[in-house]
Amino acid sequence: MTTALITGSTAGIGAAFARRLASDGHNLVLVARDTKRLQEQATELHDRHGVEVEVRTADLATDDGIETVAARLSDRKAPVDLLINNAGFANKGRYLDVSLADELKMLKVHCEAVLRLTSAASEAMRERGRGGVVNVASVAAFLPRGTYGASKAWVVQFTQGVAKDLAGTGVRLMALCPGFVRTEFHQRAGMGTDNIPNWMWLDADKLVAAALGDLARGKTLSIPDPRYKALMGLVKVTPRGLLGGVSSRTGRKYGPQ
């Protein structure tokens, strides 16, 4: 049986990955900040699917938290075959309305942690000649929309660049770019969602199924829904100046309230 490690596993997309991978027979290493929720999740998945589930409490906004997870990924005696870098959050407010400390915390989780964990996992996977990494980004990566979008754009560029560097080693990397997903994400950030149209919402379980299918097909970028594929196609042909204005207005309409 293979083992998957999932960061930010207790809610949203991370929890959907945990459910799907456990149902497919993968042993799990679950990572989050809330020990109680981790233990409850581990018990439920073990009892329902009969897989082994290990928990690691870690805050990826800290060096100690990142190192805890990196050390687990580097353990050659208990190899991790699939890494899902899912942990992330958003800050409510426009640039300069958010404290610099909170902006740097976001970059720590979205960029530094992803870099260090991907490196730890990929090195061990390359030695074995197999493995996979999914780095969860966002369609915000393709829009000029603040620090969140910028950090997710870094995730996409980093992941696709590393995928090219590791081509032929047996290690697959993919950036996953969802749109709005019904999770705790917006609630935790204090963002209102009542003004987001129903058609823009995605189901986390369906998103994960599509993402794993894209990974199996060797894609390095996954936008797992036809609606968002079409929207991102329009983004590619829209002039950057016009796109910036549209993105700003859309952010005010559908973003933090």
Side-chain angles (χ1 to χ4, degrees):
M1 297 176 70
T2 58
T3 298
L5 186 149
I6 307 166
T7 69
S9 71
T10 53
I13 295 173
F17 267 111
R19 289 192 297 271
R20 173 58 187 267
L21 291 169
S23 70
D24 287 346
H26 296 272
N27 293 329
L28 300 176
V29 182
L30 305 178
V31 178
R33 293 178 298 171
D34 190 325
T35 302
K36 184 175 182 293
R37 289 187 72 178
L38 278 172
Q39 292 172 341
E40 291 173 349
Q41 182 185 30
T43 299
E44 179 183 355
L45 292 172
H46 170 74
D47 291 348
R48 178 172 297 180
H49 301 290
V51 297
E52 296 300 317
V53 185
E54 175 186 344
V55 300
R56 294 285 173 118
T57 304
D59 183 354
L60 297 182
T62 68
D63 285 327
D64 287 345
I66 296 173
E67 185 54 41
T68 293
V69 183
R72 177 63 185 85
L73 290 166
S74 300
D75 186 350
R76 269 52 172 185
K77 295 181 180 180
V80 170
D81 305 278
L82 176 63
L83 166 63
I84 309 293
N85 271 318
N86 167 73
F89 66 95
N91 290 316
K92 182 179 180 179
R94 299 185 186 183
Y95 183 64
L96 296 183
D97 293 335
V98 178
S99 72
L100 184 59
D102 286 341
E103 297 279 37
L104 290 172
K105 182 178 180 181
M106 177 185 288
L107 294 178
K108 186 88 169 180
V109 175
H110 289 185
C111 300
E112 183 179 341
V114 168
L115 169 62
R116 290 169 62 180
L117 299 187
T118 298
S119 297
S122 297
E123 184 175 3
M125 291 172 182
R126 183 173 63 176
E127 291 176 4
R128 298 193 302 276
R130 66 183 187 278
V133 178
V134 175
N135 290 328
V136 179
S138 168
V139 293
F142 308 109
L143 301 169
R145 187 62 190 163
T147 309
Y148 180 83
S151 69
K152 293 303 186 178
W154 182 90
V155 171
V156 171
Q157 293 296 318
F158 165 72
T159 304
Q160 292 195 294
V162 174
K164 184 174 294 186
D165 287 345
L166 294 181
T169 66
V171 183
R172 293 173 294 173
L173 291 98
M174 186 182 78
L176 171 59
C177 296
F180 289 108
V181 184
R182 293 198 183 278
T183 68
E184 298 177 6
F185 179 86
H186 297 89
Q187 180 182 356
R188 288 182 174 183
M191 297 178 179
T193 58
D194 291 344
N195 56 348
I196 300 174
N198 284 332
W199 70 266
M200 296 185 75
W201 288 104
L202 304 178
D203 175 79
D205 293 309
K206 292 179 180 178
L207 182 152
V208 164
L212 290 174
D214 285 344
L215 180 67
R217 286 187 286 271
K219 291 190 175 183
T220 62
L221 177 67
S222 174
I223 303 174
D225 185 86
R227 292 163 289 181
Y228 281 98
K229 283 186 174 73
L231 286 173
M232 293 306 103
L234 290 174
V235 165
K236 288 182 179 180
V237 299
T238 302
R240 296 296 289 179
L242 176 61
L243 183 62
V246 171
S247 176
S248 180
R249 291 191 298 273
T250 303
R252 287 195 294 272
K253 184 174 182 181
Y254 299 137
Q257 300 297 312

Coordinates of all heavy atoms in Angstrom, one line a residue, residues 147-220:
T147 N -1.7 39.9 -3.1 CA -0.7 39.0 -2.6 C -1.1 37.6 -2.7 O -0.3 36.7 -3.0 CB -0.4 39.3 -1.1 OG1 -0.1 40.7 -1.0 CG2 0.8 38.5 -0.6
Y148 N -2.4 37.3 -2.5 CA -2.8 35.9 -2.6 C -2.6 35.4 -4.0 O -2.0 34.3 -4.2 CB -4.3 35.8 -2.2 CG -4.9 34.4 -2.3 CD1 -4.7 33.5 -1.2 CD2 -5.5 34.0 -3.4 CE1 -5.2 32.2 -1.3 CE2 -6.0 32.7 -3.5 CZ -5.9 31.8 -2.4 OH -6.3 30.5 -2.5
G149 N -3.1 36.1 -5.0 CA -2.9 35.7 -6.3 C -1.4 35.6 -6.7 O -1.0 34.6 -7.4
A150 N -0.6 36.5 -6.2 CA 0.8 36.5 -6.5 C 1.5 35.2 -5.9 O 2.3 34.6 -6.6 CB 1.5 37.7 -6.0
S151 N 1.1 34.9 -4.7 CA 1.7 33.7 -4.1 C 1.3 32.4 -4.8 O 2.1 31.5 -5.0 CB 1.3 33.6 -2.6 OG -0.1 33.3 -2.5
K152 N 0.0 32.4 -5.3 CA -0.4 31.2 -6.1 C 0.2 31.2 -7.5 O 0.4 30.1 -8.0 CB -2.0 31.2 -6.1 CG -2.6 31.0 -4.8 CD -2.2 29.7 -4.1 CE -2.9 29.4 -2.8 NZ -2.5 28.1 -2.2
A153 N 0.5 32.3 -8.0 CA 1.2 32.3 -9.3 C 2.6 31.8 -9.1 O 3.1 31.0 -10.0 CB 1.3 33.8 -9.9
W154 N 3.2 32.1 -8.0 CA 4.5 31.5 -7.7 C 4.4 29.9 -7.7 O 5.3 29.2 -8.2 CB 5.1 32.0 -6.4 CG 6.4 31.5 -6.1 CD1 7.6 32.0 -6.4 CD2 6.7 30.3 -5.4 NE1 8.6 31.2 -6.0 CE2 8.1 30.1 -5.3 CE3 5.9 29.3 -4.8 CZ2 8.7 29.1 -4.7 CZ3 6.5 28.2 -4.1 CH2 7.9 28.1 -4.1
V155 N 3.4 29.4 -7.0 CA 3.2 28.0 -6.9 C 3.1 27.4 -8.3 O 3.7 26.3 -8.5 CB 1.9 27.7 -6.0 CG1 1.6 26.2 -6.1 CG2 2.1 28.1 -4.6
V156 N 2.3 28.0 -9.2 CA 2.2 27.4 -10.5 C 3.5 27.4 -11.2 O 3.9 26.4 -11.8 CB 1.1 28.2 -11.3 CG1 1.1 27.8 -12.8 CG2 -0.3 28.0 -10.7
Q157 N 4.2 28.5 -11.3 CA 5.4 28.6 -12.0 C 6.5 27.7 -11.4 O 7.2 27.0 -12.1 CB 6.0 30.1 -12.0 CG 5.1 31.0 -12.7 CD 5.1 30.7 -14.2 OE1 6.1 30.4 -14.8 NE2 3.9 30.8 -14.8
F158 N 6.6 27.6 -10.1 CA 7.5 26.8 -9.4 C 7.3 25.3 -9.8 O 8.1 24.5 -10.1 CB 7.4 27.0 -7.9 CG 8.1 25.9 -7.1 CD1 9.5 25.8 -7.0 CD2 7.3 25.0 -6.4 CE1 10.1 24.8 -6.3 CE2 7.9 24.0 -5.6 CZ 9.3 23.9 -5.6
T159 N 6.0 24.9 -9.6 CA 5.6 23.5 -9.9 C 5.9 23.1 -11.3 O 6.5 22.0 -11.5 CB 4.2 23.3 -9.5 OG1 3.9 23.7 -8.2 CG2 3.8 21.8 -9.7
Q160 N 5.5 23.9 -12.3 CA 5.7 23.5 -13.6 C 7.2 23.5 -14.0 O 7.7 22.7 -14.8 CB 5.0 24.4 -14.6 CG 3.4 24.2 -14.5 CD 2.7 24.9 -15.6 OE1 2.7 26.1 -15.7 NE2 2.0 24.1 -16.4
G161 N 8.0 24.4 -13.4 CA 9.4 24.4 -13.6 C 10.1 23.2 -13.1 O 10.9 22.6 -13.7
V162 N 9.7 22.8 -11.9 CA 10.3 21.6 -11.2 C 9.9 20.4 -12.0 O 10.7 19.4 -12.2 CB 9.9 21.5 -9.8 CG1 10.4 20.2 -9.2 CG2 10.5 22.7 -9.0
A163 N 8.6 20.3 -12.5 CA 8.2 19.2 -13.2 C 9.0 19.0 -14.5 O 9.4 17.8 -14.8 CB 6.7 19.4 -13.6
K164 N 9.4 20.1 -15.1 CA 10.3 20.0 -16.3 C 11.7 19.5 -15.9 O 12.3 18.6 -16.6 CB 10.4 21.3 -17.0 CG 11.2 21.3 -18.3 CD 11.1 22.7 -19.0 CE 9.7 22.9 -19.5 NZ 9.6 24.2 -20.3
D165 N 12.2 20.0 -14.8 CA 13.5 19.6 -14.3 C 13.6 18.1 -14.0 O 14.6 17.5 -14.1 CB 14.0 20.4 -13.2 CG 14.4 21.9 -13.5 OD1 14.5 22.1 -14.8 OD2 14.5 22.7 -12.6
L166 N 12.5 17.6 -13.4 CA 12.5 16.2 -13.0 C 11.9 15.2 -14.0 O 11.6 14.1 -13.7 CB 11.7 16.1 -11.6 CG 12.4 16.8 -10.5 CD1 11.5 16.6 -9.2 CD2 13.8 16.3 -10.2
A167 N 11.6 15.7 -15.2 CA 11.0 14.8 -16.2 C 12.0 13.6 -16.5 O 13.2 13.8 -16.6 CB 10.9 15.6 -17.5
G168 N 11.4 12.5 -16.5 CA 12.1 11.3 -16.8 C 12.7 10.6 -15.5 O 13.2 9.5 -15.6
T169 N 12.4 11.2 -14.3 CA 12.9 10.6 -13.1 C 11.9 9.7 -12.4 O 12.2 9.0 -11.5 CB 13.3 11.7 -12.1 OG1 12.1 12.4 -11.7 CG2 14.3 12.6 -12.7
G170 N 10.6 9.7 -12.9 CA 9.5 9.0 -12.3 C 8.8 9.8 -11.3 O 7.8 9.3 -10.7
V171 N 9.2 11.1 -11.1 CA 8.5 12.0 -10.1 C 7.6 12.9 -10.9 O 8.1 13.7 -11.8 CB 9.5 12.8 -9.3 CG1 8.8 13.6 -8.2 CG2 10.5 11.8 -8.6
R172 N 6.3 12.9 -10.6 CA 5.4 13.8 -11.3 C 5.0 14.9 -10.4 O 4.7 14.7 -9.2 CB 4.1 13.0 -11.7 CG 4.4 11.9 -12.8 CD 3.2 11.1 -13.0 NE 2.8 10.3 -11.9 CZ 1.7 9.6 -11.7 NH1 0.8 9.6 -12.7 NH2 1.5 8.8 -10.7
L173 N 4.9 16.1 -10.9 CA 4.4 17.3 -10.2 C 3.3 18.0 -10.9 O 3.3 18.1 -12.2 CB 5.6 18.3 -10.0 CG 6.7 17.8 -9.0 CD1 7.8 17.2 -9.8 CD2 7.1 18.9 -8.1
M174 N 2.3 18.5 -10.2 CA 1.2 19.2 -10.8 C 0.7 20.3 -9.9 O 0.6 20.1 -8.7 CB 0.1 18.2 -11.1 CG -1.1 18.7 -11.8 SD -2.5 17.5 -12.0 CE -3.2 17.6 -10.4
A175 N 0.4 21.4 -10.5 CA -0.2 22.5 -9.8 C -1.7 22.4 -10.0 O -2.2 22.3 -11.2 CB 0.3 23.9 -10.3
L176 N -2.5 22.4 -9.0 CA -3.9 22.3 -9.0 C -4.5 23.7 -8.8 O -4.2 24.4 -7.8 CB -4.4 21.4 -7.9 CG -5.9 21.3 -7.7 CD1 -6.7 20.9 -9.0 CD2 -6.2 20.3 -6.6
C177 N -5.4 24.2 -9.7 CA -5.9 25.5 -9.7 C -7.4 25.5 -9.7 O -8.1 25.6 -10.7 CB -5.4 26.3 -10.9 SG -3.6 26.6 -10.9
P178 N -8.0 25.4 -8.5 CA -9.5 25.4 -8.4 C -10.0 26.9 -8.4 O -9.2 27.8 -8.2 CB -9.8 24.8 -7.1 CG -8.5 25.1 -6.3 CD -7.4 25.1 -7.2
G179 N -11.3 27.0 -8.6 CA -11.9 28.3 -8.4 C -12.6 28.3 -7.0 O -12.0 27.8 -6.0
F180 N -13.8 28.9 -6.9 CA -14.5 28.9 -5.6 C -14.9 27.5 -5.2 O -15.6 26.8 -6.0 CB -15.7 29.8 -5.6 CG -15.3 31.3 -5.7 CD1 -15.5 32.0 -6.9 CD2 -14.8 31.9 -4.6 CE1 -15.2 33.3 -6.9 CE2 -14.5 33.3 -4.6 CZ -14.7 34.0 -5.8
V181 N -14.6 27.0 -4.0 CA -14.9 25.7 -3.6 C -15.6 25.8 -2.2 O -15.2 26.6 -1.4 CB -13.7 24.8 -3.4 CG1 -14.1 23.4 -3.0 CG2 -12.9 24.8 -4.7
R182 N -16.7 25.1 -2.0 CA -17.5 25.2 -0.8 C -16.7 24.5 0.4 O -16.8 23.3 0.5 CB -18.9 24.6 -1.0 CG -19.7 25.4 -1.9 CD -21.2 25.1 -1.8 NE -22.0 25.8 -2.7 CZ -22.4 27.0 -2.6 NH1 -22.1 27.7 -1.5 NH2 -23.1 27.6 -3.5
T183 N -15.9 25.3 1.1 CA -15.1 24.8 2.2 C -15.2 25.8 3.3 O -16.0 26.8 3.3 CB -13.7 24.6 1.8 OG1 -13.1 25.9 1.5 CG2 -13.5 23.8 0.5
E184 N -14.4 25.6 4.4 CA -14.3 26.6 5.5 C -13.4 27.8 5.1 O -13.2 28.7 5.9 CB -13.7 25.9 6.7 CG -14.6 24.8 7.3 CD -13.9 24.1 8.4 OE1 -12.8 24.6 8.9 OE2 -14.4 23.1 8.9
F185 N -12.8 27.8 3.9 CA -11.7 28.7 3.6 C -12.2 30.2 3.8 O -11.5 31.0 4.4 CB -11.3 28.5 2.1 CG -10.2 29.4 1.6 CD1 -8.9 29.1 1.8 CD2 -10.6 30.6 0.9 CE1 -7.9 30.0 1.3 CE2 -9.6 31.4 0.4 CZ -8.3 31.1 0.6
H186 N -13.3 30.5 3.2 CA -13.8 31.9 3.2 C -14.2 32.3 4.6 O -14.0 33.4 5.1 CB -14.9 32.1 2.2 CG -14.5 31.9 0.8 ND1 -14.5 30.7 0.2 CD2 -13.9 32.8 -0.1 CE1 -14.1 30.8 -1.1 NE2 -13.7 32.0 -1.3
Q187 N -14.9 31.4 5.3 CA -15.3 31.6 6.6 C -14.2 32.0 7.6 O -14.2 32.9 8.4 CB -16.1 30.5 7.2 CG -16.6 30.6 8.6 CD -17.4 29.4 9.1 OE1 -17.6 28.4 8.4 NE2 -17.8 29.4 10.4
R188 N -13.1 31.2 7.5 CA -11.9 31.4 8.3 C -11.3 32.8 8.0 O -10.7 33.4 8.9 CB -10.9 30.3 8.1 CG -11.3 28.9 8.6 CD -10.2 27.9 8.4 NE -10.5 26.6 9.1 CZ -9.6 25.6 9.0 NH1 -8.5 25.7 8.4 NH2 -10.0 24.5 9.7
A189 N -11.4 33.2 6.8 CA -10.8 34.5 6.4 C -11.7 35.7 6.7 O -11.4 36.8 6.5 CB -10.4 34.5 4.9
G190 N -12.9 35.4 7.2 CA -13.9 36.4 7.5 C -14.5 37.0 6.2 O -14.9 38.2 6.2
M191 N -14.6 36.2 5.1 CA -15.0 36.7 3.9 C -16.5 36.3 3.7 O -16.9 35.2 3.9 CB -14.2 36.1 2.7 CG -12.8 36.5 2.7 SD -11.9 35.8 1.4 CE -10.2 36.4 1.6
G192 N -17.3 37.3 3.2 CA -18.7 37.0 2.9 C -18.7 36.3 1.6 O -18.0 36.6 0.7
T193 N -19.7 35.3 1.4 CA -19.8 34.6 0.1 C -21.2 34.7 -0.5 O -21.4 34.0 -1.5 CB -19.4 33.1 0.4 OG1 -20.3 32.5 1.4 CG2 -18.0 33.0 0.8
D194 N -22.1 35.4 0.2 CA -23.5 35.4 -0.3 C -23.6 36.0 -1.7 O -24.6 35.7 -2.4 CB -24.4 36.2 0.7 CG -24.5 35.5 2.0 OD1 -24.2 34.3 2.1 OD2 -24.9 36.1 3.0
N195 N -22.6 36.8 -2.1 CA -22.7 37.5 -3.4 C -22.0 36.7 -4.5 O -22.0 37.2 -5.6 CB -22.1 38.9 -3.3 CG -20.6 38.8 -2.8 OD1 -20.2 37.8 -2.3 ND2 -19.9 40.0 -2.9
I196 N -21.6 35.5 -4.2 CA -20.9 34.7 -5.3 C -22.0 33.9 -5.9 O -22.7 33.1 -5.3 CB -19.8 33.8 -4.7 CG1 -18.7 34.7 -4.0 CG2 -19.2 32.9 -5.7 CD1 -17.7 33.9 -3.2
P197 N -22.1 33.9 -7.2 CA -23.2 33.2 -7.9 C -23.0 31.7 -7.7 O -21.9 31.2 -7.6 CB -23.0 33.5 -9.4 CG -22.2 34.8 -9.4 CD -21.3 34.8 -8.2
N198 N -24.1 31.0 -7.7 CA -24.1 29.5 -7.5 C -23.2 28.8 -8.5 O -22.6 27.8 -8.2 CB -25.5 28.9 -7.5 CG -26.2 29.2 -6.2 OD1 -25.6 29.4 -5.1 ND2 -27.5 29.3 -6.2
W199 N -23.3 29.3 -9.8 CA -22.5 28.6 -10.9 C -21.0 28.6 -10.7 O -20.3 27.8 -11.3 CB -22.9 29.1 -12.2 CG -22.4 30.5 -12.5 CD1 -23.0 31.7 -12.3 CD2 -21.1 30.9 -13.0 NE1 -22.2 32.8 -12.6 CE2 -21.1 32.3 -13.1 CE3 -20.0 30.1 -13.4 CZ2 -19.9 33.0 -13.6 CZ3 -18.9 30.8 -13.9 CH2 -18.9 32.2 -14.0
M200 N -20.5 29.5 -9.8 CA -19.1 29.6 -9.7 C -18.6 28.6 -8.6 O -17.3 28.5 -8.4 CB -18.7 31.0 -9.3 CG -19.0 32.1 -10.4 SD -18.4 33.7 -9.9 CE -16.6 33.5 -10.2
W201 N -19.4 28.0 -7.9 CA -19.0 27.1 -6.8 C -18.7 25.7 -7.3 O -19.5 25.1 -8.1 CB -20.1 27.0 -5.7 CG -20.2 28.3 -4.9 CD1 -21.2 29.2 -5.0 CD2 -19.3 28.7 -3.9 NE1 -20.9 30.2 -4.1 CE2 -19.8 29.9 -3.4 CE3 -18.1 28.2 -3.3 CZ2 -19.2 30.7 -2.4 CZ3 -17.5 28.9 -2.3 CH2 -18.0 30.1 -1.8
L202 N -17.6 25.1 -6.8 CA -17.2 23.8 -7.1 C -17.4 22.8 -5.9 O -17.3 23.3 -4.8 CB -15.8 23.7 -7.6 CG -15.4 24.6 -8.8 CD1 -13.9 24.5 -9.1 CD2 -16.2 24.3 -10.0
D203 N -17.6 21.6 -6.2 CA -17.7 20.5 -5.2 C -16.3 20.0 -4.9 O -15.6 19.6 -5.9 CB -18.6 19.4 -5.6 CG -18.7 18.3 -4.6 OD1 -19.4 18.4 -3.6 OD2 -18.0 17.3 -4.8
A204 N -15.9 19.9 -3.7 CA -14.5 19.5 -3.3 C -14.2 18.1 -3.8 O -13.1 17.8 -4.3 CB -14.2 19.7 -1.8
D205 N -15.2 17.2 -3.6 CA -14.9 15.8 -3.9 C -14.8 15.6 -5.4 O -13.9 14.8 -5.9 CB -16.0 14.9 -3.4 CG -16.0 14.8 -1.9 OD1 -15.0 14.6 -1.3 OD2 -17.1 15.1 -1.2
K206 N -15.6 16.3 -6.2 CA -15.5 16.2 -7.7 C -14.2 16.8 -8.1 O -13.6 16.3 -9.1 CB -16.7 16.9 -8.3 CG -18.0 16.1 -8.1 CD -19.2 16.9 -8.7 CE -20.5 16.1 -8.5 NZ -21.7 16.9 -9.1
L207 N -13.8 17.9 -7.5 CA -12.6 18.6 -7.8 C -11.4 17.6 -7.6 O -10.5 17.5 -8.5 CB -12.4 19.8 -7.0 CG -11.2 20.7 -7.2 CD1 -11.6 22.1 -6.8 CD2 -10.0 20.3 -6.4
V208 N -11.4 16.9 -6.5 CA -10.3 16.0 -6.2 C -10.2 14.9 -7.2 O -9.1 14.5 -7.7 CB -10.4 15.5 -4.8 CG1 -9.5 14.3 -4.6 CG2 -10.0 16.6 -3.8
A209 N -11.4 14.3 -7.6 CA -11.4 13.2 -8.5 C -10.8 13.7 -9.9 O -10.0 13.0 -10.5 CB -12.8 12.7 -8.7
A210 N -11.2 14.9 -10.3 CA -10.7 15.4 -11.6 C -9.2 15.7 -11.5 O -8.4 15.4 -12.4 CB -11.4 16.7 -11.9
A211 N -8.7 16.2 -10.3 CA -7.3 16.5 -10.1 C -6.5 15.2 -10.2 O -5.4 15.2 -10.8 CB -7.1 17.2 -8.8
L212 N -6.9 14.2 -9.5 CA -6.1 12.9 -9.5 C -6.1 12.3 -10.9 O -5.1 11.7 -11.3 CB -6.7 11.9 -8.5 CG -6.5 12.3 -7.0 CD1 -7.3 11.4 -6.1 CD2 -5.1 12.4 -6.6
G213 N -7.2 12.5 -11.6 CA -7.2 12.0 -13.0 C -6.2 12.7 -13.9 O -5.5 12.1 -14.7
D214 N -6.1 14.1 -13.7 CA -5.1 14.9 -14.4 C -3.7 14.5 -14.0 O -2.8 14.4 -14.9 CB -5.3 16.4 -14.1 CG -6.5 16.9 -14.9 OD1 -7.0 16.3 -15.8 OD2 -7.0 18.0 -14.5
L215 N -3.4 14.2 -12.7 CA -2.1 13.8 -12.3 C -1.7 12.4 -13.0 O -0.6 12.3 -13.4 CB -2.1 13.6 -10.8 CG -0.7 13.2 -10.2 CD1 0.3 14.3 -10.4 CD2 -0.9 12.9 -8.7
A216 N -2.7 11.5 -13.0 CA -2.4 10.2 -13.6 C -2.1 10.3 -15.1 O -1.4 9.5 -15.7 CB -3.6 9.3 -13.4
R217 N -2.7 11.4 -15.8 CA -2.4 11.6 -17.2 C -1.2 12.4 -17.4 O -0.8 12.6 -18.6 CB -3.6 12.3 -17.8 CG -4.9 11.4 -18.0 CD -6.0 12.1 -18.8 NE -6.6 13.1 -18.0 CZ -7.7 12.9 -17.2 NH1 -8.2 11.7 -17.1 NH2 -8.2 13.9 -16.5
G218 N -0.5 12.7 -16.4 CA 0.8 13.4 -16.5 C 0.7 14.9 -16.7 O 1.7 15.5 -17.1
K219 N -0.4 15.5 -16.4 CA -0.5 17.0 -16.6 C 0.3 17.7 -15.5 O 0.4 17.2 -14.3 CB -2.0 17.4 -16.5 CG -2.8 17.0 -17.7 CD -4.2 17.6 -17.7 CE -5.0 17.3 -18.9 NZ -6.3 18.0 -18.9
T220 N 0.8 18.8 -15.8 CA 1.5 19.6 -14.8 C 0.7 20.8 -14.3 O 1.1 21.5 -13.4 CB 2.9 20.2 -15.4 OG1 2.6 21.1 -16.5 CG2 3.8 19.0 -15.8

